[in-house]
Amino acid sequence: MAVLLTFLNEQPAWSDIPLILITSGGETTQASLRVFNAFGSSGNITLVERPFRAITLISTVQVSLRARRRQYQTRSLMETLEQRVTERTQKLEETISELEAFSYSVSHDLRAPLRAMQGYSHVLIEDFSEGMDEKAREYIRRILTASERLDRLIQDVLTYSRFTRGDIEVSRVSLEPLVYDIVQQYPALQAPRAEVEIRTPLLPVAGHTGSLTQCISNLLTNAVKFVSPGTSPHVSIWTESIDSDVLIYIHDNGIGIPPAHQKRIFSMFERGPHTAGYEGTGIGLAIVKKAVERMGGSVGVQSEPGAGSKFWIQLAAA
Amino acid sequence: MNQNHAILLIEDNEDDVFFMRRALKAAGIENPLSVARDGQEAIDYLEGNHPFADRTKFQIPCLAFLDLKLPHLSGHQVLEWLRSQEHLRELVVLVLTTSRERRDIDEAYRKGANAYLVKPSSPPELLQMMISVKNFWLKYNNYPSNGAEVSCSAADIQ
């Protein structure tokens, strides 16, 4: 009986072998009670006591066989499902690696001719601009500007696609040195071009250094960029603790964003209204959103036209 | 600076070869520049196979710029081959590519690259980069005595 019990316990998930136990009739014997207790409620067991009519046994056997057939059906269903999951997973993996190959070839093959255009435009200006017609010089500059813009566009799309794949490992990030480094790196964030006020101490967050650097530098460079002509950019960055999270605020004195656009600007290629005169690809905030989400956080903005914008990133505290 | 020894540029893109020649010249790097147009050609050059058998014309370089995306044999494969060769194991190889991909950077260092540079988009930036290369690799850096057997650096030939 112990062997039988072990065997029953080791059945695969789909299997529940029906057992028909025929016992002698009359008083419930110690033996049948033992068997019944041993299998308990876990066994698929039917007790039939002698004497029984043939039809009782036949119907019991029929019920058991029917149950067993159903189990076989379940088994084959599970097998098909598993096979389907394997196939789909394989297909998905293929798609992902195709996408990776695509963005890889974008970064190499599409940028190569572009770099040539930029390069030769530079060479023309540097080596041949003397004696060149002013109009010709202007056209070359336009070629240069356009190719630089396309280059930025491609690089931004690539950055975005990098954040849509691959796993990001979240760990403790000290925000303060990270922000100081960013300000150090961009002359546009330093005096006299702008004033960036870092309200220390900045609380550490659970994030990913590379992704967070990308997000905060995108937000800071946006903050000093979108100001009305003649306004000197002033940006503050500070953190606040809320429950087990940290909110990073970046507040500017820029042109602001009307409420109707505040959600849309985080989508690919979307830019706020009245931004036509400002350089940009319309991808920066989409990168921020994607990167913040990959770190398990969220991002948003409070703003009114003419009254500046206050962007926030919410991440877990660390 | 020791300007007698060749610098090898392993690069298949003619435009990039042009921009590099121009930037090296503007940066005042006057070492003779040899160019290999693909991975196999780089190996043939370094092994002294035909048509690079004449070592007076095709010297063993003291420094190599290596593009990663090359026809026939990739830059990674060239690097792997280089590091398996007794006389080239210590050749200073600066990867110069368009790829910023993490896996390319990691693989290049794993295979023994000495530095990893991403091609700038504009000639002025490339010039700045080559001025830095000149100062670091051709002026201050010291080269091993075996392996490449030749030195690009002024620091070694006092």
Side-chain angles (χ1 to χ4, degrees):
Chain A
M1 199 168 73
V3 176
L4 185 61
L5 256 175
T6 317
F7 175 76
L8 288 178
N9 283 333
E10 282 171 359
Q11 292 181 92
W14 57 269
S15 177
D16 191 18
I17 295 173
L19 277 179
I20 301 168
L21 207 66
I22 299 169
T23 66
S24 51
E27 290 287 303
T28 306
T29 62
Q30 284 300 316
S32 59
L33 201 64
R34 242 196 348 265
V35 172
F36 192 75
N37 285 337
F39 289 107
S41 54
S42 60
N44 186 4
I45 188 166
T46 313
L47 275 175
V48 180
E49 292 193 345
R50 271 191 295 239
F52 46 73
R53 290 187 201 163
I55 196 160
T56 309
L57 186 62
I58 290 168
S59 73
T60 309
V61 169
Q62 268 176 348
V63 166
S64 300
L65 284 176
R66 188 184 159 85
R68 190 61 181 163
R69 268 197 300 275
R70 278 288 160 92
Q71 290 170 21
Y72 286 143
Q73 282 171 3
T74 309
R75 175 181 61 181
S76 69
L77 260 177
M78 281 173 76
E79 276 170 0
T80 337
L81 260 180
E82 234 159 73
Q83 201 184 337
R84 224 180 273 170
V85 168
T86 315
E87 279 169 14
R88 294 267 159 91
T89 311
Q90 201 184 340
K91 256 199 186 140
L92 269 175
E93 276 166 1
E94 277 167 21
T95 312
I96 289 171
S97 77
E98 267 171 31
L99 275 173
E100 279 181 4
F102 174 74
S103 70
Y104 192 81
S105 91
V106 164
S107 70
H108 287 88
D109 301 344
L110 288 194
R111 286 189 64 212
L114 188 61
R115 278 203 342 277
M117 283 160 63
Q118 279 175 272
Y120 287 113
S121 308
H122 263 288
V123 172
L124 275 175
I125 289 174
E126 282 168 18
D127 296 0
F128 301 97
S129 72
E130 255 177 71
M132 194 186 271
D133 190 60
E134 178 52 40
K135 240 185 192 153
R137 268 207 294 269
E138 166 65 15
Y139 293 158
I140 294 170
R141 266 195 292 275
R142 285 191 183 207
I143 295 174
L144 195 56
T145 314
S147 51
E148 278 167 0
R149 191 173 148 67
L150 183 53
D151 193 26
R152 257 198 309 282
L153 206 55
I154 292 176
Q155 296 206 42
D156 280 358
V157 171
L158 282 174
T159 308
Y160 181 82
S161 82
R162 253 202 301 277
F163 283 117
T164 58
R165 62 190 154 91
D167 286 321
I168 285 177
E169 260 183 49
V170 170
S171 60
R172 185 181 194 274
V173 179
S174 306
L175 209 51
E176 235 169 86
L178 185 143
V179 172
Y180 278 112
D181 280 351
I182 293 171
V183 174
Q184 276 279 300
Q185 220 186 326
Y186 292 86
L189 298 177
Q190 298 160 22
R193 291 171 63 179
E195 192 189 338
V196 176
E197 181 193 342
I198 303 167
R199 293 192 201 152
T200 53
L202 299 179
L203 300 165
V205 293
H208 172 258
T209 306
S211 308
L212 208 52
T213 304
Q214 180 85 48
C215 292
I216 290 178
S217 57
N218 281 16
L219 289 179
L220 284 176
T221 47
N222 270 358
V224 298
K225 180 165 66 177
F226 294 105
V227 291
S228 16
T231 308
S232 172
H234 180 102
V235 182
S236 318
I237 176 166
W238 73 96
T239 55
E240 280 173 22
S241 175
I242 168 172
D243 300 327
S244 56
D245 286 351
V246 168
L247 274 162
I248 307 167
Y249 286 104
I250 293 175
H251 194 184
D252 63 48
N253 62 340
I255 55 174
I257 306 145
H261 288 82
Q262 288 175 6
K263 209 168 167 189
R264 215 188 291 166
I265 50 167
F266 289 99
S267 306
M268 273 292 249
F269 302 116
E270 286 286 349
R271 307 186 68 195
H274 322 301
T275 57
Y278 299 90
E279 187 54 53
T281 56
I283 305 176
L285 287 178
I287 292 173
V288 172
K289 184 162 191 278
K290 184 60 77 179
V292 169
E293 282 169 359
R294 293 306 298 270
M295 292 185 283
S298 53
V299 62
V301 64
Q302 296 153 12
S303 176
E304 268 185 56
S309 305
K310 187 160 85 176
F311 281 86
W312 52 263
I313 293 175
Q314 185 165 359
L315 290 167
Chain B
M1 185 181 350
N2 187 350
Q3 297 185 336
N4 300 321
H5 292 296
I7 290 174
L8 178 63
L9 174 62
I10 306 167
E11 172 63 75
D12 65 311
N13 185 321
E14 276 307 321
D15 298 319
D16 282 333
V17 172
F18 170 82
F19 294 129
M20 272 297 277
R21 277 192 196 284
R22 199 167 170 279
L24 289 173
K25 194 176 162 207
I29 298 176
E30 285 165 15
N31 303 55
L33 185 74
S34 304
V35 181
R37 315 278 165 174
D38 62 53
Q40 189 53 53
E41 207 175 293
I43 290 178
D44 286 341
Y45 181 101
L46 290 164
E47 278 202 318
N49 295 339
H50 175 78
F52 304 104
D54 184 356
R55 275 287 175 236
T56 55
K57 255 173 90 183
F58 307 105
Q59 310 165 22
I60 287 282
C62 57
L63 181 86
F65 289 102
L66 175 65
D67 188 15
L68 289 183
K69 200 156 186 265
L70 295 166
H72 309 312
L73 277 177
S74 77
H76 289 304
Q77 286 169 306
V78 173
L79 194 53
E80 196 166 9
W81 174 84
L82 267 170
R83 294 316 185 212
S84 71
Q85 303 298 304
E86 188 61 40
H87 65 299
L88 297 167
R89 190 168 291 157
E90 290 164 14
L91 173 65
V92 169
V93 177
L94 313 184
V95 170
L96 182 63
T97 176
T98 50
S99 171
R100 284 176 198 279
E101 296 282 320
R102 192 32 55 203
R103 58 176 172 174
D104 275 335
I105 301 171
D106 290 347
E107 193 179 345
Y109 277 107
R110 210 165 36 243
K111 296 216 156 104
N114 296 84
Y116 192 103
L117 305 171
V118 176
K119 285 178 192 169
S121 333
S122 75
E125 287 172 272
L126 185 63
L127 172 58
Q128 284 311 310
M129 185 183 271
M130 287 310 126
I131 289 172
S132 300
V133 164
K134 178 186 166 188
N135 281 328
F136 189 97
W137 293 105
L138 305 184
K139 192 172 168 191
Y140 294 117
N141 190 52
N142 285 272
Y143 285 76
S145 57
N146 57 347
E149 290 167 18
V150 287
S151 164
C152 278
S153 172
D156 296 333
I157 50 165
Q158 289 150 2

